[in-house]
Amino acid sequence: MEADRDVRHALVVGAGIGGLAAALALGRTGWRVTVLERAAAIGEIGAGIQLSPNGVRVLSALGVLDRLLPTTFRPEAVEMRLGRSGRRVFRVELAETAVRRWGAPYLHVHRSDLLEALRAGTAGGGLDITLLTGSAVRGYAQDPRGVTAVLDSGRRIAGSLLVGADGIHSAIRERMLGAGEPRFTGHVAWRVTVPVERLGGDAPPPTACLWVGERRHAVTYRLRGGTLANLVAVVERDAWRGESWTERGTRRDALADFAGWHPTVTTALREAETHFRWALFDREPLETWVDGRVALLGDACHPMLPYLAQGATMALEDAWVLADRLAHTDDVPRALRSYAAARLPRTARVQAGSRENGQRFHREGRFAHVPLWFLGKLAPRVYHRRLDWLYGHRVP
């Protein structure tokens, strides 16, 4: 075991969005942080992310928003269209409303750009943060004085706190709670990005646009100042094995799943060079996220279906609250219990809302989307008010 008598040394397992945000938040409150990442390098993983104002406020408080802004895109509105005809169901203004109502903009960003902004933040400002790649953690051991991360290599690294931010296949969660079985939702998502210049008149509108149809839906939006189109297209399946962000499918299969749909959707699928296929699994909220000096964060404890676009944002909120609870005490277990008590009810509500939206988007029948049309077309203030609990929530 590597000796470490520093009472404020945090071990963060995972260098994804949640892990890097946690490292940065802890570092800014005086903690020495070691980030342990399984991958040999942090690459361009994933595609687009929608960041609602509650997450953008955290990035601002962490000091990385100014660095990130040049790579983002601010949608004019949120809208719904019929998947085959493209007919607009509703449009609700978002750009100025978000800042005025919730105190920060609504942004679209490429996952790799967000990761790079967070990584750059951990490397600057005189913070004591070390990133160790190629360091897969298989478990941990602890006693009243501290906690030790146990690596696959046999190396053991000691600290006073361990944060499991190691994603949906979390080794830390499995060590803490056992191997839980996820439930396949019946939904599989295609994810592609395409330069806008290759799409011509079929480029997606400058909005967060939901395209709905029977047993399938799609979401389009723009990234990187509007130069890159992002598409997530979800179709129902009876069965699936495996849960991965990086499984690849074929252009032919993607186009077959959305045959007859609007050219904005099909052109993006046709022009994309790589088609990632993501089977969506669901998990019930965990009873606890904490074991002594060990806490879970982000997808490791509350993996989100994408239908409220809150996965990354909930991880950012987690990171801020975790660091805040630890900022003024040396009683790590007590601070971690306070963190979990604050976060578990909110993330459980978001998980439930995401699940409900997934069912709502795939309703069948001619009049299936009339309630959403009424909400968006006739009562935009009601639409905004229904999001106040989510976008207006303040942790910084």
Side-chain angles (χ1 to χ4, degrees), residues 165-333:
D166 49 342
I168 57 177
H169 301 296
S170 172
I172 304 304
R173 182 189 64 231
E174 184 169 345
R175 169 66 176 80
M176 182 186 296
L177 301 170
E181 287 296 323
R183 178 185 64 84
F184 177 51
T185 61
H187 292 182
V188 175
W190 293 97
R191 296 182 297 114
V192 303
T193 56
V194 188
V196 167
E197 63 182 12
R198 290 173 54 180
L199 300 176
D202 295 327
T207 62
C209 188
L210 171 66
W211 306 77
V212 295
E214 294 186 0
R215 303 190 64 194
R216 66 205 68 216
H217 77 276
V219 178
T220 59
Y221 51 93
R222 299 189 183 195
L223 307 169
R224 291 179 172 163
T227 64
L228 190 66
N230 187 82
L231 168 70
V232 180
V234 180
V235 64
E236 295 184 11
R237 286 285 184 269
D238 292 332
W240 201 270
R241 293 183 179 179
E243 184 178 24
S244 172
W245 275 85
T246 56
E247 178 179 334
R248 297 196 182 195
T250 67
R251 177 183 290 105
R252 182 180 63 182
D253 287 346
L255 286 169
D257 280 343
F258 288 86
W261 270 50
H262 192 271
T264 296
V265 174
T266 58
T267 302
L269 292 173
R270 187 179 64 251
E271 293 296 323
E273 295 181 358
T274 305
H275 299 72
F276 289 105
R277 188 165 52 181
W278 172 29
L280 301 179
F281 286 76
D282 201 7
R283 290 172 173 82
E284 294 299 322
L286 301 177
E287 293 183 2
T288 182
W289 300 356
V290 173
D291 174 22
R293 291 176 173 269
V294 182
L296 301 174
L297 181 150
D299 282 351
C301 50
H302 53 69
M304 296 281 168
L305 296 174
Y307 307 132
L308 273 177
Q310 287 292 302
T313 292
M314 287 299 105
L316 292 171
E317 287 189 4
D318 287 350
W320 184 272
V321 174
L322 175 75
D324 180 68
R325 293 298 192 272
L326 288 159
H328 307 295
T329 180
D330 290 330
D331 189 341
V332 171

Side-chain angles (χ1 to χ4, degrees), residues 115-135:
L115 284 171
E116 175 55 28
L118 290 168
R119 188 208 58 76
T122 64
L127 304 180
D128 191 356
I129 300 174
T130 301
L131 172 60
L132 300 179
T133 56
S135 301

